[in-house]
Amino acid sequence: MAEELKTQQQFDAFADAVATALETHCRTTPLPGYARGPARLIIDDEDRALRLCQPDAHRPPRLQVFAGLPNEEQIAAPSIQVSAISAAHVAREITRRLYPLHAQAMERAARLTTYQQAETCARRAAAAAVAAALPGARIEEEPPRTRITWQHTLGPAGQHGPAQVDSLCVVVGPSGEWVQVDACGRPDSTLPMLTALTQMPRE
């Protein structure tokens, strides 16, 4: 027979029992932001996080357990549905069904993090080389791209007429694999900067 889980207090006690049954020195904490029903966060001694939730008030014995990931905006967190027959049953289902999915997702997350770190380093190195060729340029990170803007303003002779603005905009692509250059202004000002870009050292 399923556990009686009609209040947050009952759910908290059940989550504590699940944490104990997992036998991984788990602790539980509130799970703010989950508005569909009672929920509780379970964290083990390896800092693996589980979100134990009751998504359907009309079917309180049906629970959903999500495995927490460090970058869930990029990798979907695996989850399982399980019946609240008992805390021991939920713990067994987590161990048997969710933990393997969690391990696979964590491996994917680790590979993604490694790739992103390498991509960022390569892109920033390329952007730094571009900026070195354009003294006074402004660098703006817009992952997965970097924008470098150089401007030179020349006031008009006397105090009449609009100022002349010469500018270069260089966009460095992911991992620094390509650059896009847009130039606007007087040739005697922009051409030396374009020439400096062509003389950038290459790896």
Side-chain angles (χ1 to χ4, degrees), residues 130-137 150-151 193 196:
V130 170
L134 303 174
W150 173 87
Q151 287 187 336
M193 293 302 168

Side-chain angles (χ1 to χ4, degrees), residues 23-170:
E23 298 180 349
T24 51
H25 300 93
C26 290
R27 64 188 187 278
T28 68
T29 65
L31 182 60
Y34 187 79
R36 296 178 62 182
R40 193 78 172 166
L41 185 66
I42 301 175
I43 304 173
D44 69 11
D45 55 358
E46 296 180 0
D47 286 331
R48 288 183 299 188
L50 302 172
R51 297 192 296 273
L52 183 63
C53 308
Q54 187 188 76
D56 188 351
H58 299 292
R59 302 175 64 193
R62 295 299 297 172
L63 308 180
Q64 191 159 14
V65 191
F66 296 87
L69 295 176
N71 46 1
E72 292 183 13
E73 68 282 356
Q74 297 173 304
I75 296 179
S79 67
I80 61 170
Q81 288 190 340
V82 60
S83 178
I85 296 172
S86 68
H89 171 76
V90 173
R92 282 194 301 269
E93 292 299 286
I94 289 172
T95 302
R96 182 177 69 88
R97 296 165 51 203
L98 186 57
Y99 275 168
L101 297 176
H102 195 183
Q104 294 171 8
M106 288 296 289
E107 289 178 5
R108 291 195 298 273
R111 289 196 297 269
L112 178 61
T113 297
T114 298
Y115 166 77
Q116 289 175 331
Q117 290 173 344
E119 186 280 323
T120 299
C121 287
R123 176 165 44 83
R124 286 179 175 173
V130 170
L134 303 174
R138 183 176 73 252
I139 300 177
E140 298 174 273
E141 292 284 352
E142 300 174 357
R145 296 173 175 81
T146 300
R147 183 181 303 274
I148 300 101
T149 305
W150 173 87
Q151 287 187 336
H152 177 255
T153 303
L154 180 66
Q159 298 298 319
H160 305 288
Q164 174 69 48
V165 178
D166 305 317
S167 64
L168 263 71
C169 179
V170 182

